[in-house]
Amino acid sequence: MKYYAYKCDGNIAVDDTILVKDIPATAGSKILDGFKPLFSAEAVVRLENKGYKIAGKTNVGEFGLDLVGEFSHYGENDEELKGAAAELVKSGEVKAALGVDMNGSTRRAAAISGVDFLKPTYGTVSRYGVISCAASGEQLGVYADRAEGIKEIMDVIAGHDDKDGTSLRNDKYDYTLSGVKGKKVCLVKELFEKADATVQENINKAIDALKVNGAVVEEVSLDIFDTANVAWQILMTAETCNNVSRYDGVKFGYRASEYKNIDELYVNSRTEGFNFLTKAVILYGSDVLSKNRYKDCYDKSLKVRRVIADKFADIMKNYDAILTPACSKYSYKAYDIKEAFGKVFEESVFTAIANLIGTPALVTSGVQLLGKHFDESTLLGLGAVIERKGE
Amino acid sequence: MNYEVVIGLETHVELDTKSKIFCSCGGHSAANEPNDCVCPACSGMPGMLPVMNKKVVELAVTAGLMLNCEISRYTTFDKKNYFYPDLPCAYQITQLNHPICTNGCVTVKTTQGSRDIRIKQIHMEEDAGKLVHSGKVSYVDFNRTSVPLIEIVTQPDFRSAEEVITYLTKLKSMFRSGGISECEEGAMRCDVNISVRPEGSEEFGVRTEIKNMSSFESIAKAIKYESQRHIDAIEFETEELVQETRRYDDLTGKTSAMRNKETEADYRYFPDANLMPIIIDDEWLEEIKANKPAEVDEKAEDYRLAGISEEEIEMLISNNKIAKLLDDIVAKGCNAKEGAAWILTDCAGILRKMGKTLNDLTITADDLFAITNMVEKGDVNRSAGRKILIAVIEDGADPIAFCKENGLDKKFDESAIAAVIDQAIASNPQAVEDFKSGKTKALQALFGFCMKQLKGAGDPAVIKTMLEEKLK
């Protein structure tokens, strides 16, 4: 497979959905061919200011919409699908990587490669310099091989940024790995059952590790994940459809060579520039925003978002974290892009809720921990124990 | 049959802020060349996020207060989707669901009487850029992109073009005095919704919308043309009226169809997740209220009561700086009518000679009041007062010191004047003789002599009377 869209010399990989000044940024799409950003993402600037060096831009699936990064205009896939940034972290070639968590691709990639990925609480890391798709729930996050590595990077990149209107006011957050003894974790029965045997086995190992270290693990039945996923797919496709509208062949990026008027310039550039999955998302998103569907689709999803947030908060009155799979299996085979929309939708049942309600999620050792807003500390503490199960 | 014209207005006004609505670029008025005032944010590059300009909220609220609106304490932004090359993001950030101001009212007075126009809402939004066409090629200029606008939407309460123009004139002077907008050429643009119905009818007729007009003259002509077209269609069945958007052509004086209801775009409005809801709390609202200039109408009425002419009132309410100067000296005790004359006649005249305008006036309220007060109390006469004013404006002199140094502040009793008159008569025997033989003009020479000796001090009327008495 092809890891880099652009290689330099450094220790931090940056997904191609995040801008680094003067280095081409395409978000894996032909539509942004040749686009060079005039500035770096805030997270990149903060890392560089602390002496970290950018190792290069890692290939991502077009706008991060696919399973793990398989549909990049610039990438190449093996039969077994893997995420570029996750694999580079796993190999030790880079210390950590930055990725944009929007529809689960970063978390799935981390689970498959067996590295950590933290999707932080919404608003804690600046989205300035993220090639935005679904602004209401996407979040810049970190890949590292261990929870300690995540903490190290989060300590640098998190905190208020004036350039992002959704950035929260706090300048500092606590990512200290919490203790595990006495923590209460619940396993979600419905999600556990959706996973295959290898994933289930990993979940059981994680439970053992937590129990050995003094945590309490209980199984619960929770029916909010399917609803959360549908709501998030509606919001995500609508917002993505809107945000990629700016790629129209007029200002930068790819422009079709053949057109007779402005309408043809738009249609031809976008027809040639976007892949099938992005087009499916655009169509789906336009539909849920159309006048006759808005109330039943988009508007209802906004209400569902509030209801789910309330229900989630209720559960978290009794538990410190929720344990779930991050994906249904660890082996995705190459497949036809026409099946992508359905496949991603199915797999996002594990990941969507954190995007929908802005809570943090940590993938570690192939499993996922969901936590309360701003409680990354607990997730990292639990994650560190799960990682060390065999040691 | 008699018909009634029913009109509603949507008025876009460009706000006078230093920077654009969501980025720190200067407004397009600061631009010399196309795409001078453009950054990655307002040209739609990926990775940039909109950050709200607080001043825009404050000016929109001020406009709402002036139009007696309810101010929303919770206000949000929505995205309006459409493709056009002058719209870099392919969406416009505007307000649909929670506009900043609602339910206002403004009274317009015309020759037909006075009418209350209800304001449905005021919302904030960003402007689009411009296309420049040159032969077969078109260019985009993003200088105007993201310049802040407010859109004021009325209910269909107008019944004539005169009412519309009166309303617009009133908005213009309100917004100027409120520091909201200078409403320069093209900075105020109107969409006119118009329908016609038989007089006495409660139902509305078929409505058409005439888009994007900025000259008042065009608006008035377009309303007249369009309402007559509707009446003809109803009365003589010349055509079938359909709900549609039209444009007005200044050259032909006619309107023509742009698009009808069926082909109208679905803008797929939805909330903008990049901009957090804006909460206007009591403290902020009070701060905005405190900074808001007095209501124009109320203010005009005060001026009128003080005996200031309509022409002067017009000048005052369209220039907030000058109005404030007058208000300040009046607060110190100056007579309002006299104060207005000092500013609008004397100061303006002095500045004109210097090749400047009232906008360049820098005199402080304290200095101006010092002069008007000396004149009002009779310490110096008016022409001496004007001399002091010239020194203050031209050279930045201190009014009281200048007055003393130049001997203008002497209290002139009649004996002092009488002594100068005696001197004048003694030194100008020829003039005295001429006067006595009937050449009344000769008095002027004697009067001039006295004034010169008195260095402009003393009341000219008194001097003249005394001089005449003496020569009798």
Side-chain angles (χ1 to χ4, degrees):
Chain A
M1 69 178 291
K2 199 176 160 197
Y3 297 110
Y4 288 105
Y6 188 96
K7 192 164 177 350
C8 8
D9 194 21
N11 51 2
I12 306 286
V14 178
D15 266 352
D16 207 15
T17 39
I18 299 166
L19 306 183
V20 180
K21 190 172 185 285
D22 298 331
I23 295 181
T26 65
S29 179
K30 184 178 174 184
I31 199 87
L32 272 164
D33 208 18
F35 176 72
K36 266 191 198 170
L38 300 170
F39 59 93
S40 289
E42 178 67 12
V44 169
V45 171
R46 290 186 185 190
L47 285 169
E48 286 178 334
N49 287 345
K50 288 276 176 192
Y52 294 89
K53 286 206 158 56
I54 304 306
K57 299 294 292 291
T58 29
N59 270 317
V60 292
E62 187 163 303
F63 295 109
L65 291 165
D66 57 9
L67 282 176
V68 292
E70 62 276 22
F71 296 120
S72 165
H73 180 69
Y74 307 91
E76 289 159 14
N77 294 322
D78 300 333
E79 180 58 19
E80 284 284 325
L81 301 178
K82 309 262 189 201
E87 284 293 294
L88 284 175
V89 169
K90 188 189 176 187
S91 71
E93 191 178 319
V94 295
K95 186 184 182 70
L98 301 181
V100 180
D101 187 290
M102 198 253 297
N103 204 25
S105 66
T106 47
R107 273 179 272 163
R108 283 186 290 270
I112 287 170
S113 298
V115 299
D116 285 10
F117 181 85
L118 177 72
K119 177 228 169 264
T121 304
Y122 186 77
T124 55
V125 177
S126 172
R127 289 188 300 113
Y128 179 81
V130 165
I131 299 182
S132 181
C133 281
S136 77
E138 71 194 2
Q139 183 61 65
L140 195 150
V142 178
Y143 298 91
D145 70 333
R146 284 291 166 98
E148 288 82 356
I150 302 261
K151 176 192 183 321
E152 180 186 328
I153 302 298
M154 287 301 294
D155 280 339
V156 178
I157 65 173
H160 178 70
D161 176 17
D162 277 337
K163 299 182 291 305
D164 174 359
T166 62
S167 170
L168 299 167
R169 288 284 144 195
N170 288 23
D171 286 328
K172 277 271 164 228
Y173 297 94
D174 184 14
Y175 298 104
T176 313
L177 277 56
S178 76
V180 173
K181 202 170 162 47
K183 293 277 187 209
K184 283 186 76 182
V185 178
C186 67
L187 171 72
V188 180
K189 184 169 162 282
E190 287 80 359
L191 294 182
F192 183 75
E193 286 167 359
K194 281 182 199 279
D196 74 4
T198 51
V199 175
Q200 289 186 346
E201 197 190 318
N202 245 346
I203 298 249
N204 286 329
K205 282 186 195 161
I207 292 170
D208 290 345
L210 289 172
K211 283 183 175 168
V212 165
N213 284 279
V216 178
V217 183
E218 293 171 2
E219 188 181 87
V220 297
S221 178
L222 273 179
D223 61 355
I224 57 177
F225 293 91
D226 281 309
T227 317
N229 190 27
V230 171
W232 176 241
Q233 299 308 314
I234 289 171
L235 300 178
M236 185 277 290
T237 53
E239 291 180 29
T240 301
C241 159
N242 161 266
N243 271 318
V244 302
S245 293
R246 73 188 63 200
Y247 310 122
D248 56 8
V250 173
K251 306 165 292 277
F252 45 74
Y254 179 76
R255 179 187 287 188
S257 51
E258 300 283 328
Y259 54 90
K260 290 194 205 72
N261 52 45
I262 185 68
D263 285 346
E264 280 191 14
L265 187 153
Y266 285 149
V267 172
N268 295 353
S269 301
R270 291 167 64 83
T271 302
E272 294 161 28
F274 290 130
N275 73 14
F276 187 90
L277 176 56
T278 306
K279 284 174 196 162
V281 167
I282 290 171
L283 284 180
Y284 196 94
S286 311
D287 186 47
V288 296
L289 286 177
S290 65
K291 240 181 215 160
N292 43 355
R293 307 262 285 168
Y294 182 83
K295 205 165 168 286
D296 289 338
C297 292
Y298 194 87
D299 201 41
K300 191 169 256 177
S301 297
L302 289 178
K303 287 175 185 137
V304 168
R305 169 180 261 168
R306 284 203 297 276
V307 172
I308 300 275
D310 290 346
K311 286 194 172 181
F312 187 88
D314 270 351
I315 299 155
M316 298 311 276
K317 282 177 190 158
N318 298 320
Y319 296 100
D320 298 297
I322 300 177
L323 178 62
T324 77
C327 47
S328 68
K329 55 188 171 193
Y330 296 133
S331 169
Y332 294 125
K333 306 282 188 237
Y335 64 99
D336 190 284
I337 193 167
K338 290 187 176 151
E339 296 167 40
F341 191 88
K343 274 187 192 285
V344 175
F345 173 68
E346 247 173 60
E347 286 292 299
S348 296
V349 69
F350 304 105
T351 55
I353 191 166
N355 299 103
L356 183 72
I357 64 174
T359 46
L362 176 72
V363 167
T364 178
S365 307
V367 304
Q368 176 177 241
L369 290 160
L370 301 173
K372 298 172 200 172
H373 283 107
F374 311 109
D375 194 17
E376 280 84 348
S377 179
T378 294
L379 299 186
L380 292 170
L382 298 175
V385 160
I386 294 172
E387 284 157 22
R388 282 171 180 72
K389 56 187 173 266
E391 295 164 21
Chain B
M1 194 187 283
N2 284 328
Y3 292 92
E4 180 179 53
V5 185
V6 177
I7 303 164
L9 282 192
E10 292 162 27
T11 310
H12 297 84
V13 177
E14 206 170 84
L15 301 179
D16 284 343
T17 50
K18 285 198 189 77
S19 54
K20 291 184 175 182
I21 183 166
F22 301 123
C23 62
S24 56
C25 284
H28 69 111
S29 53
N32 296 316
E33 297 288 324
N35 296 311
D36 256 3
C37 295
V38 172
C39 72
C42 59
S43 58
M45 288 191 192
M48 288 299 290
L49 297 166
V51 177
M52 187 67 211
N53 180 344
K54 202 175 158 195
K55 186 73 185 169
V56 173
V57 179
E58 291 173 352
L59 292 182
V61 169
T62 305
L65 293 170
M66 291 180 124
L67 296 173
N68 308 301
C69 290
E70 290 165 22
I71 307 301
S72 307
R73 298 314 192 88
Y74 173 92
T75 185
T76 59
F77 283 94
D78 301 278
K79 290 173 163 183
K80 176 184 179 179
N81 291 284
Y82 65 94
F83 284 94
Y84 203 65
D86 71 2
L87 192 66
C89 285
Y91 58 81
Q92 179 196 28
I93 303 178
T94 177
Q95 296 195 287
L96 180 74
N97 293 314
H98 300 281
I100 188 152
C101 310
T102 54
N103 298 325
C105 186
V106 59
T107 307
V108 295
K109 289 178 193 139
T110 64
T111 50
Q112 300 141 26
S114 113
R115 192 189 303 280
D116 287 343
I117 305 298
R118 290 167 300 157
I119 307 291
K120 184 172 173 250
Q121 68 176 59
I122 301 176
H123 58 261
M124 302 176 278
E125 61 186 27
E126 56 176 345
D127 209 342
K130 260 184 195 163
L131 290 187
V132 183
H133 304 284
S134 161
K136 281 191 154 184
V137 190
S138 296
Y139 301 93
V140 285
D141 177 2
F142 291 138
N143 281 340
R144 204 177 67 186
T145 307
S146 279
V147 164
L149 300 176
I150 51 172
E151 179 174 340
I152 303 118
V153 184
T154 75
Q155 298 287 359
D157 289 347
F158 299 96
R159 295 293 177 266
S160 70
E162 191 193 352
E163 286 178 355
V164 169
I165 302 306
T166 309
Y167 162 83
L168 290 172
T169 309
K170 187 164 181 172
L171 280 195
K172 207 168 178 173
S173 59
M174 270 185 179
F175 290 167
R176 277 185 182 163
S177 72
I180 292 164
S181 175
E182 272 308 304
C183 296
E184 280 162 349
E185 182 72 33
M188 192 172 188
R189 307 193 294 270
C190 273
D191 301 337
V192 179
N193 285 282
I194 188 165
S195 65
V196 158
R197 63 184 173 190
E199 220 161 62
S201 164
E202 288 293 311
E203 271 171 52
F204 291 118
V206 175
R207 171 171 59 92
T208 57
E209 181 179 12
I210 314 167
K211 278 276 183 200
N212 204 22
M213 292 180 286
S214 58
S215 114
F216 288 5
E217 201 188 335
S218 302
I219 293 167
K221 282 184 184 162
I223 290 171
K224 279 172 193 149
Y225 173 84
E226 187 65 6
S227 52
Q228 194 57 49
R229 191 179 73 86
H230 284 229
I231 293 169
D232 290 348
I234 299 165
E235 186 90 20
F236 309 113
E237 295 178 4
T238 47
E239 60 182 312
E240 194 192 339
L241 287 176
V242 287
Q243 187 180 332
E244 62 187 1
T245 305
R246 300 178 69 86
R247 74 161 65 82
Y248 175 72
D249 184 339
D250 261 322
L251 293 176
T252 61
K254 290 178 180 172
T255 64
S256 57
M258 283 168 79
R259 53 178 186 261
N260 63 33
K261 199 184 168 192
E262 278 70 41
T263 58
E264 203 136 86
D266 176 355
Y267 289 116
R268 292 178 284 119
Y269 283 97
F270 77 110
D272 189 340
N274 281 325
L275 291 158
M276 294 280 112
I278 297 167
I279 310 293
I280 301 171
D281 57 18
D282 289 348
E283 197 186 337
W284 194 13
L285 185 60
E286 287 310 314
E287 197 186 307
I288 299 169
K289 276 184 182 166
N291 290 328
K292 178 181 82 83
E295 299 290 339
V296 168
D297 256 10
E298 206 178 281
K299 207 167 183 177
E301 202 49 46
D302 287 347
Y303 290 150
R304 218 165 272 134
L305 287 173
I308 299 173
S309 75
E310 287 300 322
E311 196 188 340
E312 286 174 324
I313 292 172
E314 181 64 28
M315 288 160 79
L316 286 165
I317 59 181
S318 65
N319 190 327
N320 195 33
K321 188 176 138 189
I322 296 308
K324 190 172 182 316
L325 180 63
L326 178 60
D327 294 347
D328 287 349
I329 59 170
V330 168
K332 291 174 192 294
C334 177
N335 171 290
K337 192 179 174 196
E338 286 297 321
W342 277 108
I343 296 170
L344 299 172
T345 308
D346 296 285
C347 292
I350 294 162
L351 288 163
R352 205 177 305 120
K353 274 189 190 150
M354 296 164 73
K356 293 180 174 176
T357 70
L358 271 178
N359 282 326
D360 304 309
L361 186 61
T362 52
I363 192 168
T364 63
D366 283 335
D367 283 355
L368 183 57
F369 177 69
I371 299 170
T372 64
N373 192 39
M374 281 190 275
V375 175
E376 204 159 333
K377 286 198 324 211
D379 292 350
V380 302
N381 67 40
R382 206 179 185 294
S383 64
R386 192 177 156 95
K387 266 189 192 162
I388 302 169
L389 184 65
I390 292 169
V392 174
I393 292 177
E394 285 183 353
D395 309 320
D398 177 82
I400 294 175
F402 182 85
C403 175
K404 286 205 171 112
E405 282 158 20
N406 291 278
L408 297 172
D409 69 331
K410 283 180 214 149
K411 277 272 184 192
F412 278 86
D413 54 38
E414 297 196 352
S415 65
I417 295 172
V420 174
I421 288 173
D422 287 344
Q423 201 187 338
I425 289 170
S427 330
N428 296 281
Q430 188 61 46
V432 175
E433 201 151 302
D434 287 352
F435 181 78
K436 284 188 173 162
S437 62
K439 289 183 187 165
T440 46
K441 268 190 180 171
L443 183 69
Q444 200 54 41
L446 296 167
F447 176 69
F449 181 91
C450 295
M451 289 305 284
K452 202 172 170 189
Q453 294 296 311
L454 291 164
K455 289 182 182 161
D459 186 338
V462 172
I463 298 165
K464 208 162 188 179
T465 316
M466 287 175 68
L467 189 60
E468 279 166 350
E469 284 290 318
K470 191 87 184 174
L471 291 169
K472 255 184 199 171

